[in-house]
Amino acid sequence: MTGRLGTLTTLYVTQYLGVGFITVGLTAILRDGGTSLETLALLQIVGLVWPVKFLWAPILDRYGSRHRGHYRSWLLVLQTGLVLALAALLPFDRPADQLGPVVAVCLAYVLLSATQDIAVDAVAVRLLPAGARGTGNGIQVAASYLGNLLGGGACVVVYDRYGWRPAILLLAALTAVGLLVVWRFREPPRTDRVPSTAHAYRALLSVFAQPGCRWWTFGVVPLLYVGAGAAYALVTPALVDAGWSLARIGVVTGVVTSVPAIAAVLLAGLGIGRFGRARVLVVAGASLAVSTLLLLPLLTGRAPVTGTVVALCLFLAAYTVANVVLYTVNMDYSRPETGGTDFTVLSSFGLVCSFVAASAGLAAADQLGYPAVAIGCVVLVGLAVVAGVVHQRRFPAGPVATTGAGVAALDLLTLAS
């Protein structure tokens, strides 16, 4: 199991290296080169590839090499593509003056990264037993933070001291570590290959036919993501309104709060395995409520540094713990034969909810003010926790985990009908 978790950790970290660089590091570099905020906003659009990756997830579940390993064969190509895409950035040492080609390469990278994520999630679904899914998803969330810190932080430091090419070479070299891991990875033979592309695409809807899945996906997930996401969307504008400098905001929200968040999600992963999904969800929800209330001084225009940093650290740690629970239950509902599709479509819905939450939270704050929106967010999170606990009492570890091969066989019969 340790070897499997090590493989997943490396692949999740390396997929986020370039994403962190594009969304954080490159944005800072371009701004330093005089790129307008409007243009930088357009750069962020490349991230919209991730919520729609479910459109091609069934292709990865359907096709794959029997000789090299079904998902391993995809990972060999995709991980190589990630390295080559980063290497393609090397000639553009003045990215602000060569924005068109740079954005094109970034779009290609994000497309490869999103597709690689489908394959890695599918491997995790197939390799991790129900008891280890909390740990696996804790690693996934922690890896996203670590990848963002390295790609969006360390590589920017290298750029500042040594220039563009050394920074890009560092990114490519770190990403190449994932390729070495994939090369050594031996995927167990697959005996449940989806019979056709049409059957694979039917999984986009049949996943919701599992007992309790619609309750979880369209009840618990939106309540939690809208409640927590809308509250988090208020933080940066509230800090600006309180007079914090952009440099302080970047350090606190991008670096300082990430350290406790990484520790929290790793502990949450272990806690899910020991105490169950419902109990960890209660802890996350309670912490979100308390930390949101602790942010009220900031949201009313007063932002004492120590109190604000403590509240933000607690909030982000709780938010990421909640994410681990959501991902774990999504994995419970991901069937082994269509794991890439199932996990992707369930997680993509959560991403959409996050985008909607940020927009809705800011729009509501414009009309009602920050504090009123924050109180509303606490109520939504509380409702999500109640709905989630009731769900877990009825479906303790998800249909796949509790009924095993019987459900998998039933799903195949459903697909074939």
Side-chain angles (χ1 to χ4, degrees):
M1 182 57 65
T2 302
R4 295 176 177 180
L5 292 175
T7 297
L8 294 173
T9 300
T10 304
L11 294 177
Y12 279 127
V13 170
T14 55
Q15 84 178 210
Y16 284 108
L17 286 170
V19 173
F21 178 74
I22 291 168
T23 58
V24 180
L26 182 58
T27 298
I29 292 169
L30 290 173
R31 182 60 176 167
D32 185 62
T35 303
S36 68
L37 292 177
E38 291 82 2
T39 302
L40 293 179
L42 291 175
L43 178 63
Q44 302 301 314
I45 292 177
V46 301
L48 293 177
V49 170
W50 276 67
V52 300
K53 62 185 177 178
F54 67 89
L55 294 174
W56 59 91
I59 301 297
L60 276 73
D61 283 331
R62 172 66 181 91
Y63 299 100
S65 171
R66 296 181 184 274
H67 175 67
R68 294 182 176 86
H70 184 98
Y71 295 106
R72 178 177 177 271
S73 60
W74 282 101
L75 289 170
L76 285 169
V77 174
L78 294 165
Q79 201 74 28
T80 301
L82 292 177
V83 176
L84 294 177
L86 292 172
L89 290 172
L90 284 171
F92 308 116
D93 54 352
R94 296 177 62 85
D97 298 332
Q98 302 161 302
L99 200 55
V102 169
V103 172
V105 173
C106 289
L107 180 60
Y109 179 91
V110 173
L111 179 62
L112 290 166
S113 178
T115 308
Q116 189 252 26
D117 186 57
I118 297 170
V120 179
D121 288 339
V123 170
V125 168
R126 298 183 67 81
L127 293 185
L128 297 179
R133 288 174 188 161
T135 301
N137 284 284
I139 287 174
Q140 177 179 178
V141 177
S144 70
Y145 279 98
L146 182 57
N148 281 321
L149 281 175
L150 292 174
C155 288
V156 174
V157 173
V158 172
Y159 168 81
D160 188 52
R161 293 192 176 186
Y162 303 106
W164 176 261
R165 288 188 175 89
I168 298 301
L169 285 172
L170 175 61
L171 268 178
L174 291 173
T175 304
V177 174
L179 182 58
L180 295 176
V181 169
V182 173
W183 190 262
R184 297 181 59 184
F185 173 55
R186 292 295 175 262
E187 183 180 354
R190 182 172 184 182
T191 58
D192 56 354
R193 186 181 296 266
V194 181
S196 71
T197 305
H199 292 139
Y201 269 95
R202 288 177 191 171
L204 289 171
L205 295 178
S206 66
V207 63
F208 298 112
Q210 299 176 86
C213 188
R214 285 191 289 268
W215 177 347
W216 177 262
T217 305
F218 303 118
V220 180
V221 171
L223 285 171
L224 190 55
Y225 270 128
V226 172
Y232 189 62
L234 305 179
V235 169
T236 298
L239 290 172
V240 173
D241 293 348
W244 282 35
S245 68
L246 294 180
R248 176 186 284 180
I249 292 172
V251 170
V252 170
T253 61
V255 179
V256 175
T257 58
S258 295
V259 176
I262 291 174
V265 296
L266 293 177
L267 289 174
L270 296 174
I272 288 172
R274 181 170 182 178
F275 302 110
R277 290 123 174 93
R279 290 182 179 178
V280 177
L281 179 61
V282 170
V283 172
S287 300
L288 276 170
V290 170
S291 57
T292 301
L293 294 176
L294 290 176
L295 287 171
L296 284 176
L298 165 64
L299 300 177
T300 54
R302 303 183 305 275
V305 175
T306 301
T308 301
V309 170
V310 169
L312 287 174
C313 286
L314 177 58
F315 182 91
L316 191 61
Y319 194 4
T320 51
V321 169
N323 269 310
V324 175
V325 179
L326 295 180
Y327 286 172
T328 301
V329 178
N330 286 348
M331 191 167 285
D332 291 336
Y333 279 113
S334 300
R335 299 158 294 183
E337 67 279 2
T338 54
T341 300
D342 293 351
F343 192 82
T344 297
V345 71
L346 294 173
S347 300
S348 293
F349 182 75
L351 285 175
V352 172
C353 291
S354 296
F355 281 119
V356 172
S359 177
L362 293 174
D366 184 56
Q367 298 295 319
L368 305 173
Y370 293 142
V373 174
I375 297 301
C377 290
V378 171
V379 173
L380 290 176
V381 169
L383 292 173
V385 170
V386 171
V389 170
V390 174
H391 173 278
Q392 284 297 293
R393 285 179 178 174
R394 293 190 60 183
F395 312 100
V400 173
T402 55
T403 58
V407 169
L410 178 60
D411 289 334
L412 283 178
L413 290 173
T414 302
L415 287 171
S417 63

